[in-house]
Every structure is written in C-alpha cells, then in structure tokens.
Amino acid sequence: MNHNSLDSDGGRHATLLVPYMWIGDFVRCHTVVRLLRARFPDSPIDVLTTTTVAPLLDYMPGVRKGIVWDLPRKRLAWAQHRALAARLRAEGYARALVMPRTWKAALAPFVAGIPERTGFAGEARFGLLNDLRWGERALPRMIDRCVALALPKGAVLPADYPLPQLEVPGAEVAAWCQRQGLTAAGRVAAFAPGAVGPSKRWPASYYAEAAKRLVGEGFAVWVLGGPGETALAAEIAAGSEHVRDLTGADLRNAILALAAADVAVSNDSGLLHVAAALRTPSIGIFGPTSAWHWAPLNPLAAVIETETTVECRPCHKPTCRYGHHRCMREIPPARVVAAALAALAPVRVA
C-alpha cells in the first residue's frame, strides 16, 4: 500500500478515519472500516496513522491508504496540526470520523474544512465537530463507541459486529521467514510478553517455564514485542537455542511472525489483537483487566484467567495497588501450555 499517494480524483468522495493509535485499538478500528464500507460502498477509506502502526494498514482489506503523520502526544504543536490540515485539505475528504475523544484529535479535520466531521462531544469539541454524538458513557466498551460513530446518528447497535481482519500473503510470510533464517522452525509458538503497565504482564519467569515446556513438545518459540520487551525476551530465551528473540522497533516483523506462527500466547496487549485478527490460534492471558471489555472481537483459542478468588480484580490498573500481583502469579505455566497444545490438537470426528 502506498501510504501517501494522492488518487487522481483527489479523493472527493473519500472518508477519513482517525482511529486510536495504540496497536490493539488500531486493529479494533478495522471493524469501523468494514461498517463504513457497507454504509458508503463507493467511498474510499483512508486512515490517519502514526509511523509505528502504519504497517498494519498494508494488511487491512478495505483501506485505500494511510496518511502517516506523527503528532506529539503531550503538547498542541499547532504548526504540525496546521501542516496536517493542509495535507488533508489536498485530499478533499467528504467526511471524517474521529474516534479519540480528545480536542486535538478533531483539530486537523476542522482546519482542513472536511464537510462532515463525526465524533463524540469528548473534550468540549463544539464547532470542531459538526456531527456531534452524545451518550458515549452509556456504551460500556470502546468498540461499542467506535461502532456507534460508524453508524447514522441514533442507529441501534447491531447484534454482531464485523470482525477485524488482517490478511498477509503467504509468499510474504515465506520470504520473511527465509530472511530471518527461520525456514526449518517446525511448529512455532509466538510469545508476546509485553503490555502497557506491569500489572498486565504475566511474569517473565512463567513465560520462560512455558517456553521450556513447549520446546520439550517440539516447538520453536519466538518472543515478540518492541524494544521495551528485549530484556523480557532475554530472560525467556536464556540458555535455549530453540527460543528466538524477535523483539524490535518494526511492527511488521511481529505481524509476519504472528502470521507464520502456529499458536500465539499473549498478555492483554496489542499483539493479541494482531494475532487474533490474523486468525492465528491465540491464548490471551488476563489478570487485572476484564476480557469482556478488552479482549479482541475475534474468537480466541482460550482466555486464561486465574481460577482462584482475587477480590480486587478486575481493577484495570497499570500497577498492582497491593503489590501481590496475584491475578497473574496464580496462573500456572502448565495451564497456559495445556491451552496452547489444545488449540493445535486435531479435531476428533465422532
């Protein structure tokens, strides 16, 4: 996909989607793309993106292109918003859907003069948005709020949402495996041990034990994540030639690794959403967060939560308030390994 090309018609009937820029939320917003394709079948859909998550767009059906623009998170940066607005104005979008509720997220579409600008009132965005929606607090999940914005005002939410999709050509996966020297890996389990906030991370020592057990079952284990997960990968891979550290700054490597893997084991993190959207059998480990609120829409092979009583969960806090981290520490590696093996067990015919 060409992330910055301008179509010959100037995009005069196109829709701009401004999604959340965290990996999992960005994948989740592909449901919005699918709803918009059904609602406006003749309208191309472009997606505003950061450099970090832009590789996902290459594998999202129904997206024409990405508009790559890295805006600072903690300051207004008016000059950069104005430059982005000029870029958007040149595309001539008919409408923009602004998923985040922040004032800044709606600024460039307003300055660009996009005729229809849809979003929740959020941070008092009167004027910035002209298709202003209310009632977001009555919608319990982020995906419910995103879907509501993709539908006409006042529409009832559908009983079933279209699932996010990521489609990676097999030839691209094979070429990547060859470049990485992974062509003779056999069965592969991909681990994603990172997460935003330490309370959402299953202990690295547990991942290491799970890796040891899966290697004993004939698996190779690939550890995925960003640069911040490299230390975790080193701990998990220590002393094993069958565990490979594939962490790094390029999200595309993780996407291709998850597409190549036979099973994925992940905390409640963005890579769990990537794996599920790729239809790789995925084991999601949930401690302080509610799987109902935050798990991918795509079905998981297993949702793993502690079977013990932990009164404080779900707390949705990034750090354990009590310091015991029981909601994760009381999930044994043997249970996660059993779920991974079960996800790959042949279906028995009665």
Side-chain angles (χ1 to χ4, degrees), residues 176-177 182 185 188-191 220-224 243-244 246 256-257 260-261:
W176 176 84
C177 287
L182 300 169
V188 173
F191 284 3
V221 176
W222 300 345
V223 186
L224 311 178
V243 182
R244 178 81 177 265
L246 295 177
L256 294 168

Side-chain angles (χ1 to χ4, degrees), residues 198-241:
S199 71
K200 292 167 64 176
R201 299 174 194 152
W202 199 44
S205 60
Y206 288 26
Y207 270 107
E209 175 62 25
K212 180 179 178 181
R213 290 174 180 244
L214 285 172
V215 167
E217 296 285 343
F219 281 78
V221 176
W222 300 345
V223 186
L224 311 178
E229 279 75 66
T230 299
L232 291 174
E235 182 176 347
I236 295 166
S240 177
E241 61 181 349

Side-chain angles (χ1 to χ4, degrees), residues 87-112:
R87 173 78 173 84
L88 300 180
R89 189 180 304 112
E91 297 281 354
Y93 292 111
R95 65 188 66 83
L97 268 72
V98 182
M99 301 286 114
R101 65 191 310 276
T102 62
W103 192 85
K104 289 196 303 182
L107 182 57
F110 167 74
V111 176

